[in-house]
Amino acid sequence: MLFALAQWLQSDFRFLRVFNYLTFRAVMAAMTALVIGLMCGPWVIRTLHALKVGQTVRHDGPSAHLSKSGTPTMGGALILIGMAVSMLLWANLNNRFVWVVMAVTFGFGLIGWVDDYRKVVHQNPRGMSAREKYGWQSLIGVLAAFYLMFAISESSVAGMVERFTAWWRSGFSIALPAHMNLQLPFMKSISYPLGAVGFVALTYFVIVGASNAVNLTDGLDGLVIMPVVLAGGALGVFAYVMGSTVYAKYLLFPHIPGAGELLIFCAAMGGAGLAFLWYNTYPAQVFMGDVGALALGSALGTIAVIVRQEIMLFVMGGIFVAETLSVMLQVVWFKYTRKRYGEGRRVFKMAPLHHHFELAGWTETQVVVRFWIITLMLVLVGLSTLKLR
């Protein structure tokens, strides 16, 4: 809204032209989300206490976690509030990418909210059934994938409609432009053409997979939010580069008109995330819950698809990948050994991976900070691909 107002008044008030700079609005978006989060945090925590939405702690986990039972969860709502207000104030709301990222983020957040609400308010330990949860996630993921197939290739609504019509009349056959190929890190001109089916499938798996990977990582005080902020900040840099004709050409990246506006979203996510960390750092006053983890993971996945950095999200979000693989490997190996030997065996002391290190003797703070450091290193590797190509 402030951006639109500045556009309307800048002919009379020249100083308002500063709103045309993405970097200025990104800084203001981060500051706005941070201040809103810090101010609203106590109210959100009191409200969650009043609703008695306390976290239930696993009794088979580390014994140190038993003291956390009853800590309010669903605190991810605080992050979404800060992001929503900041985006409405500072983003260009006519940008086609802003709305799809917002829709996916808050759609997954709503799924997480329902799941958390059933668990802690209705005292249903299952929450949403796996079929129901993944069904709604899949619906949003597929719809977003089809939308992005046209939105990335066309910069105007008219062009998107025309391309969709041509796709419909051709019997669902469409040739995607080269800038929608799968980009390979450290390669200047080598990319992999996906085709329409491949693009939709990859987009679906990136969005849904990233969402659930972040959710699995959310298990310790402050563990997940800093990697989200770091990876989101790096994706914001990629968005800024690819949205600029000058930087994209200089750094040999595909130019995606309008992608630069996602820098505002990433900045707002970073500011809101740091505000949440203020209350989530050890010992946590509030937990994120599925409402925050599912939303933030889906946001990272959607932005990575738009800026064609799916592989780099896999690298920069290496902690999320490791946590997910640890759960998958633990389950598969346990079922295999139980069938083969009559007794289930484990690869890790406990999954996800952060619990394994806790049971191995690391303190909770050591696990969290070391995972942050690893994420920072991986993000720096990702950012190095801007020039090392």
Side-chain angles (χ1 to χ4, degrees):
M1 291 186 289
L2 291 180
F3 175 76
L5 182 62
Q7 290 283 304
W8 182 48
L9 295 176
Q10 68 179 349
S11 58
D12 298 319
F13 302 95
R14 297 183 62 183
F15 69 91
L16 292 177
R17 294 180 182 178
V18 70
F19 279 77
N20 293 328
Y21 292 95
L22 282 171
T23 48
F24 169 78
R25 289 191 286 123
V27 171
M28 297 307 297
M31 293 177 60
T32 300
L34 178 61
V35 171
I36 290 174
L38 293 176
M39 291 178 61
C40 294
W43 172 77
V44 170
I45 293 172
R46 286 196 303 270
T47 302
L48 294 174
H49 267 298
L51 294 173
K52 298 181 179 179
V53 287
Q55 178 72 32
T56 301
V57 177
R58 294 171 57 178
H59 293 283
D60 59 341
S63 58
H65 287 210
L66 296 177
S67 61
K68 300 182 181 184
S69 181
T71 302
T73 186
M74 302 172 71
L78 177 63
I79 302 174
L80 297 182
I81 291 171
M83 290 172 59
V85 175
S86 184
M87 288 297 293
L88 290 174
L89 289 176
W90 299 106
N92 177 4
L93 299 180
N94 292 321
N95 184 281
R96 67 195 188 282
F97 294 132
V98 165
W99 285 110
V100 67
V101 175
M102 292 282 283
V104 171
T105 301
F106 285 87
F108 274 76
L110 180 60
I111 295 171
W113 176 273
V114 173
D115 190 36
D116 285 336
Y117 192 83
R118 291 183 184 178
K119 288 178 182 176
V120 299
V121 177
H122 293 173
Q123 298 298 311
N124 180 359
R126 292 184 59 196
M128 297 177 72
S129 67
R131 178 176 296 181
E132 183 181 10
K133 181 188 289 187
Y134 289 118
W136 285 110
Q137 289 179 336
S138 297
L139 177 62
I140 297 174
V142 169
L143 290 176
F146 274 102
Y147 175 81
L148 291 175
M149 184 170 65
F150 301 101
I152 297 176
S153 60
E154 298 291 341
S155 58
S156 66
V157 175
M160 290 170 57
V161 173
E162 181 179 348
R163 195 167 183 82
F164 175 80
T165 303
W167 172 68
W168 181 274
R169 291 176 176 174
S170 66
F172 309 109
S173 175
I174 186 173
L176 300 181
H179 67 258
M180 293 182 65
N181 292 349
L182 179 63
Q183 303 295 316
L184 302 181
F186 302 106
M187 300 295 178
K188 292 182 179 180
S189 56
I190 301 177
S191 59
Y192 187 79
L194 296 169
V197 175
F199 177 86
V200 170
L202 177 64
T203 300
Y204 165 78
F205 284 115
V206 169
I207 294 176
V208 176
S211 177
N212 287 286
V214 171
N215 193 32
L216 286 172
T217 307
D218 182 30
L220 301 179
D221 297 354
L223 173 60
V224 74
I225 190 61
M226 186 55 71
V228 167
V229 170
L230 291 172
L235 288 175
V237 174
F238 280 105
Y240 183 70
V241 168
M242 295 189 181
S244 167
T245 54
V246 176
Y247 291 137
K249 182 178 180 180
Y250 172 69
L251 295 172
L252 303 176
F253 278 96
H255 173 51
I256 303 174
E261 198 67 26
L262 294 178
L263 176 63
I264 312 301
F265 183 93
C266 293
M269 182 167 61
L274 291 177
F276 176 77
L277 182 60
W278 182 274
Y279 302 103
N280 183 240
T281 190
Y282 181 85
Q285 298 173 254
V286 65
F287 296 141
M288 183 182 295
D290 286 8
V291 60
L294 291 179
L296 294 176
S298 67
L300 292 178
T302 306
I303 296 170
V305 169
I306 294 173
V307 299
R308 314 307 304 128
Q309 294 300 314
E310 298 93 340
I311 295 178
M312 287 319 305
L313 176 61
F314 184 89
V315 173
M316 295 187 297
I319 290 297
F320 307 138
V321 176
E323 295 271 24
T324 304
L325 291 178
S326 71
V327 173
M328 295 172 62
L329 184 59
Q330 186 88 319
V331 171
V332 170
W333 183 248
F334 185 85
K335 290 183 176 180
Y336 170 76
T337 53
R338 184 172 60 183
K339 183 178 180 180
R340 179 73 180 270
Y341 305 108
E343 178 185 10
R345 300 176 184 177
R346 292 176 172 84
V347 178
F348 304 101
K349 295 179 183 293
M350 185 178 177
L353 189 61
H354 53 262
H355 289 317
H356 168 81
F357 287 109
E358 277 192 290
L359 294 176
W362 292 16
T363 65
E364 180 171 349
T365 304
Q366 284 177 321
V367 176
V368 170
V369 175
R370 287 170 180 174
F371 276 33
W372 287 0
I373 294 172
I374 293 171
T375 299
L376 177 60
M377 294 170 60
L378 295 175
V379 166
L380 291 176
V381 171
L383 289 175
S384 71
T385 63
L386 286 167
K387 190 62 178 176
L388 300 178
R389 306 182 73 241

